[in-house]
Amino acid sequence: MNDALLQSALRFHQAGQLMEAARLYSDIIRGNPQHFEALYRLGLVHLQSGRFSDAEHLLTAAIRLQPQVPETYYVHGCALQNLERHEDALKSFARALSLKPDYVEVRNNRGVSLLALRRYEEALACFDRVLSARPGVALVESNRAAALSGLDRHAEALEAAERSIGGNPNIAFSWHHKGAALARLDRFQEALVAFDRAIALNPQYVDALTFRGIVLGMLDRHEQAVDSFSAGLKLAPANIDLLYNRATSLLALKRFQDAMPDCQAVLREKSDFKYSRGNLICCRLHLCDWHDLEGERDRVRKTLHQGQAALIPLHNALISDDEGDQLQCSRIWTELDCPPSRTPLWRGERYDHDKIRVAYVSADFRTHAVASLMAGVFEQHDKTRFEVSAISLSDQSDHMSERLEQAFDRFVPVQGRDHGDVARLLHDMEIDIAVDLMGYTRGSRTPVFALRPAPIQVAYLGFPGTMGASYIDYIIADSIVAPSDRQALYAEKLVHLPHCYMPGDDNRVVAEPPGRVEAGLPERGFVFCSFNNVAKIVPAVFDVWMRVLKAVDGSVLWLSAADEIAMRNLKREAETRGVDAERLIFAPFVNGGDRHLARLSLADLFLDTLPYNAHAGGSDALWAGVPIVSCRGTTFAGRVGASMLNAVGLPELVADSLESYEAHALSLARQPELLADVRAKL
């Protein structure tokens, strides 16, 4: 009777009628719980149906009955793999191979578990052995590509993926592995095509949707990246990588309110997930949502001291008052995301040039704070001694770009070229000194410098602090923003410019100022201003501002317009401190630097921020003739105001504490003759 039932069950099984086969196998087992074949076959049906725990239970029972059948161990190992019990799966595969050493399917699956455990060398050895027995198996070539990627052998991984696709172009895994290899070779456009093909073959392919979104982000196509991550999250709502990466793209789009739930979801799942706490802090700062800000700062500091990636260096600069923490943060970022190349392009060769070759690398050779500060520097290089090139990481162009192109001997756009291409370009140009004008700001290409294309590599202006990278030799500073006695807190050697590290373009003009009412200001009353990114505003400084407003009748605080939620939150915070919200006035963006300076000149006094001072905004204020009251901080970013005020001859406007800062502001606001003297001096 059992034999007849078994034959019927096998026929249903072979025909793909799994439910009927399972029913008959179960009938046999009810009559004979020790029936090996029925236990094994029912376990196989459950495996094929996705009921992996049931499969594992049945196959364990079958193995107890007949421990010498390699196929049972193989299927058992596959069930364990699907339960993500890879160490246990390896034990089953090892037993199968001990019984049948030439069992290539087992050896391939053993390699897959080794991949999951990130034991890439062993996985590669498995796949190589399978291919030596059965050359050209497309799926095995695809697995081999994954192992090679894990070993950072991305060019070989690409070759393996392409062999797999050549053998069978309809395996989604192969296209995914090709895309991953291309992405890691910085060939992002080609990678995108490969991921699109993988998703076309398998629309449920969550990993491909994730990597596709990351590549779109690398191409600065963040709206599409968000769509890709969102598609993945419909399939896997709790996927932490998708949540993290969607938050990152939303941050790039300045959609801070939308990014916050993703940041919070990541932290609920894994409280130390890389950079996520910093992303949440960044959202809250840009929205002026200061809930538990001090607690978040303490948690970040603790995480950094444990050597973990709590936040990116730029986010840390916004909240940190400790240069040691900033060095630690930059070192962690460099180690994880941009370590020095094991095969640097420049290997100590000497160049024989008539002129020293300098290349400035930036995505900001356009209407941007960096360009507006540096334009005069570029124009005033001594062309008899220096050959000066611009390596432009962006394809955006405007009137400032046109001006800058005339200042350089060579202006080379490299947007769309991968990091390796850009580094090889610098090396082929025999650049003596490569200057990174971006550091760890948006759009930077630090991996270019990690490849060491030039003998001397310098950080300047874009990022106010150490990059923590061994491949950046110098940071250009001055004796105030980075004093010599702080050298131990910088990975780079300090180079001090006289007076002030901050440049200024002396060709800037100021248009005819508008009237106060036209600018949105009251006709009378003292105007304090702080035209800064609102993310630089923190509660301790805002407390001072509100006390100053209350002490100076009729005064207003003029701020840069920001996100509607941020402006609403600032008004609420003002009212909480007893100040009418209408005394906060938000200035909308105006086109044209000359118009911006003209409007800014209507302010009576600029109030600096801390721990991150106004930088380009502070330079604008001084250029417009508006005095700044600054508080000297304990980091590079917090000493820029002191540096600029010392350089223009107004060191008396630099306070050493928030109490002194408040007293300075009140003194100038209450004594018109004193403020007039300062403005005249400026």
Side-chain angles (χ1 to χ4, degrees):
M1 178 65 177
N2 279 347
D3 286 346
L5 277 179
L6 181 62
Q7 292 306 314
S8 295
L10 289 171
R11 283 193 294 273
F12 281 125
H13 198 165
Q14 289 164 359
Q17 294 176 258
L18 300 183
M19 289 182 65
E20 284 299 314
R23 182 179 61 80
L24 294 177
Y25 290 138
S26 297
D27 287 346
I28 295 169
I29 294 166
R30 272 192 293 272
N32 179 9
Q34 307 297 309
H35 197 293
F36 167 80
E37 189 72 17
L39 287 166
Y40 167 67
R41 295 290 176 181
L42 184 56
L44 184 57
V45 167
H46 284 325
L47 177 67
Q48 292 167 322
S49 304
R51 297 173 63 182
F52 305 121
S53 291
D54 292 339
E56 193 275 332
H57 175 73
L58 288 160
L59 292 161
T60 298
I63 287 168
R64 278 198 297 267
L65 290 170
Q66 292 192 27
Q68 301 302 315
V69 181
E71 288 77 13
T72 317
Y73 288 104
Y74 170 51
V75 179
H76 184 245
C78 292
L80 289 164
Q81 271 186 326
N82 283 286
L83 292 168
E84 298 188 5
R85 292 168 55 186
H86 292 288
E87 292 286 3
D88 292 332
L90 290 176
K91 293 174 185 175
S92 279
F93 293 142
R95 188 75 178 112
L97 289 168
S98 71
L99 295 167
K100 186 178 177 181
D102 61 347
Y103 202 157
V104 291
E105 290 83 4
V106 172
R107 201 167 295 283
N108 178 64
N109 275 44
R110 179 174 182 271
V112 171
S113 275
L114 289 165
L115 276 180
L117 294 168
R118 301 188 177 188
R119 291 160 61 178
Y120 299 118
E121 287 282 5
E122 296 170 79
L124 182 61
C126 280
F127 302 134
D128 284 343
R129 188 160 175 181
V130 172
L131 289 167
S132 68
R134 294 188 187 173
V137 179
L139 185 58
V140 182
E141 285 282 15
S142 178
N143 291 336
R144 187 172 183 273
L148 288 163
S149 280
L151 294 167
D152 292 331
R153 291 161 60 179
H154 304 303
E156 294 173 77
L158 178 58
E159 292 171 1
E162 287 178 333
R163 282 195 297 273
S164 176
I165 290 165
N168 183 351
N170 296 316
I171 300 175
F173 287 120
S174 304
W175 288 100
H176 174 266
H177 295 321
K178 178 177 180 178
L182 287 164
R184 288 171 175 135
L185 292 167
D186 303 326
R187 293 163 60 179
F188 300 121
Q189 293 285 3
E190 296 168 82
L192 190 58
V193 173
F195 289 127
D196 284 343
R197 185 65 186 274
I199 294 163
L201 290 166
N202 178 8
Q204 312 292 307
Y205 200 161
V206 171
D207 286 349
L209 286 163
T210 304
F211 220 141
R212 178 179 181 270
I214 291 169
V215 166
L216 286 164
M218 297 300 294
L219 293 168
D220 209 23
R221 292 161 60 180
H222 289 286
E223 291 282 5
Q224 293 168 274
V226 168
D227 291 341
S228 193
F229 298 134
S230 297
L233 284 164
K234 287 180 182 176
L235 301 168
N239 185 293
I240 196 167
D241 292 312
L242 284 164
L243 287 164
Y244 168 77
N245 283 298
R246 186 169 70 175
T248 301
S249 277
L250 288 167
L251 280 170
L253 293 167
K254 300 184 178 180
R255 290 167 56 184
F256 305 110
Q257 185 71 11
D258 294 333
M260 277 185 69
D262 285 350
C263 296
Q264 291 164 331
V266 170
L267 291 169
R268 281 194 300 272
E269 186 71 23
K270 194 172 189 298
S271 62
D272 60 351
F273 194 85
K274 69 170 188 175
Y275 308 136
S276 287
R277 194 161 298 282
N279 286 349
L280 180 60
I281 290 171
C282 178
C283 289
R284 286 182 170 162
L285 287 173
H286 279 93
L287 295 171
C288 299
D289 173 358
W290 300 326
H291 171 70
D292 196 27
L293 184 59
E294 283 305 309
E296 292 289 7
R297 281 179 48 161
D298 290 342
R299 284 186 279 274
V300 159
R301 183 170 292 156
K302 181 179 178 181
T303 306
L304 286 175
H305 290 176
Q306 293 169 344
Q308 297 173 6
L311 71 178
I312 65 173
L314 185 60
H315 294 168
N316 194 39
L318 285 169
I319 62 168
S320 173
D321 57 6
D322 188 309
E323 282 182 312
D325 287 353
Q326 292 192 358
L327 174 60
Q328 173 76 343
C329 182
S330 290
R331 280 180 170 161
I332 290 170
W333 190 95
T334 302
E335 181 181 342
L336 285 179
D337 287 79
C338 203
S341 171
R342 290 184 290 234
T343 55
L345 293 174
W346 181 75
R347 303 257 180 131
E349 61 268 28
R350 298 292 295 272
Y351 300 141
D352 183 19
H353 303 149
D354 293 335
K355 301 177 184 179
I356 294 172
R357 296 183 184 176
V358 180
Y360 291 95
V361 182
S362 179
D364 300 326
F365 295 121
R366 54 190 170 85
T367 300
H368 183 277
V370 168
S372 68
L373 292 168
M374 286 291 293
V377 175
F378 299 143
E379 290 167 340
Q380 294 184 52
H381 273 297
D382 183 348
K383 296 298 182 67
T384 66
R385 298 172 59 207
F386 296 94
E387 181 183 295
V388 187
S389 300
I391 306 300
S392 178
L393 305 175
S394 169
D395 58 359
Q396 296 182 50
S397 182
D398 55 25
H399 69 280
M400 176 60 82
S401 307
E402 294 168 5
R403 175 184 169 188
L404 296 184
E405 285 191 41
Q406 303 304 311
F408 291 102
D409 296 293
R410 282 188 283 186
F411 191 94
V412 187
V414 296
Q415 196 274 341
R417 297 174 66 171
D418 63 56
H419 302 318
D421 263 0
V422 178
R424 283 187 291 275
L425 170 68
L426 286 163
H427 186 250
D428 291 345
M429 291 169 67
E430 296 190 355
I431 296 300
D432 296 298
I433 304 171
V435 184
D436 183 0
L437 288 174
M438 302 194 75
Y440 295 137
T441 58
R442 187 184 171 197
S444 63
R445 300 281 291 272
T446 311
V448 170
F449 292 87
L451 290 164
R452 175 58 78 172
I456 296 175
Q457 302 191 154
V458 179
Y460 182 44
L461 195 61
F463 179 71
T466 181
M467 292 182 67
S470 60
Y471 44 80
I472 301 296
D473 304 301
Y474 300 96
I475 181 170
I476 297 177
D478 61 52
S479 61
I480 293 177
V481 292
S484 297
D485 63 6
R486 312 297 282 176
Q487 175 64 77
L489 299 173
Y490 288 78
E492 312 86 349
K493 293 184 179 69
L494 297 173
V495 175
H496 287 164
L497 293 180
H499 312 303
C500 182
Y501 91 108
M502 177 79 77
D505 176 18
D506 57 10
N507 285 325
R508 297 184 77 184
V509 296
V510 181
E512 186 67 28
R516 284 175 59 126
V517 174
E518 182 186 349
L521 296 169
E523 290 187 11
R524 286 181 294 279
F526 196 92
V527 178
F528 297 101
C529 84
S530 191
F531 278 15
N532 258 316
N533 188 316
V534 294
K536 294 182 182 181
I537 304 173
V538 296
V541 172
F542 194 76
D543 289 344
V544 172
W545 292 354
M546 295 304 100
R547 289 197 296 269
V548 167
L549 283 184
K550 286 195 287 188
V552 180
D553 291 341
S555 62
V556 295
L557 177 61
W558 201 16
L559 302 170
S560 297
D563 185 285
E564 287 290 338
I565 295 171
M567 293 189 289
R568 188 164 64 243
N569 283 340
L570 283 173
K571 288 182 176 183
R572 188 195 69 243
E573 293 288 349
E575 290 182 336
T576 299
R577 291 161 174 79
V579 174
D580 185 346
E582 297 306 309
R583 294 177 71 182
L584 271 59
I585 298 171
F586 294 94
F589 176 79
V590 295
N591 280 315
D594 58 337
R595 292 178 60 214
H596 166 65
L597 292 173
R599 181 178 63 174
L600 180 53
S601 69
L602 299 175
D604 294 302
L605 186 64
F606 190 104
L607 299 176
D608 209 351
T609 46
L610 196 73
Y612 197 125
N613 293 164
H615 294 183
S619 176
D620 287 347
L622 295 173
W623 196 257
V626 181
I628 300 174
V629 173
S630 187
C631 186
R632 187 192 304 265
T634 53
T635 65
F636 189 126
R639 294 189 287 255
V640 172
S643 174
M644 290 192 292
L645 287 166
N646 271 271
V648 299
L650 290 171
E652 64 271 22
L653 298 186
V654 180
D656 289 321
S657 67
L658 284 179
E659 292 77 16
S660 176
Y661 167 84
E662 183 175 345
H664 278 38
L666 286 172
S667 178
L668 289 165
R670 287 168 168 169
Q671 300 180 64
E673 68 286 353
L674 179 59
L675 180 61
D677 288 345
V678 168
R679 291 186 73 110
K681 187 175 181 183
L682 176 59

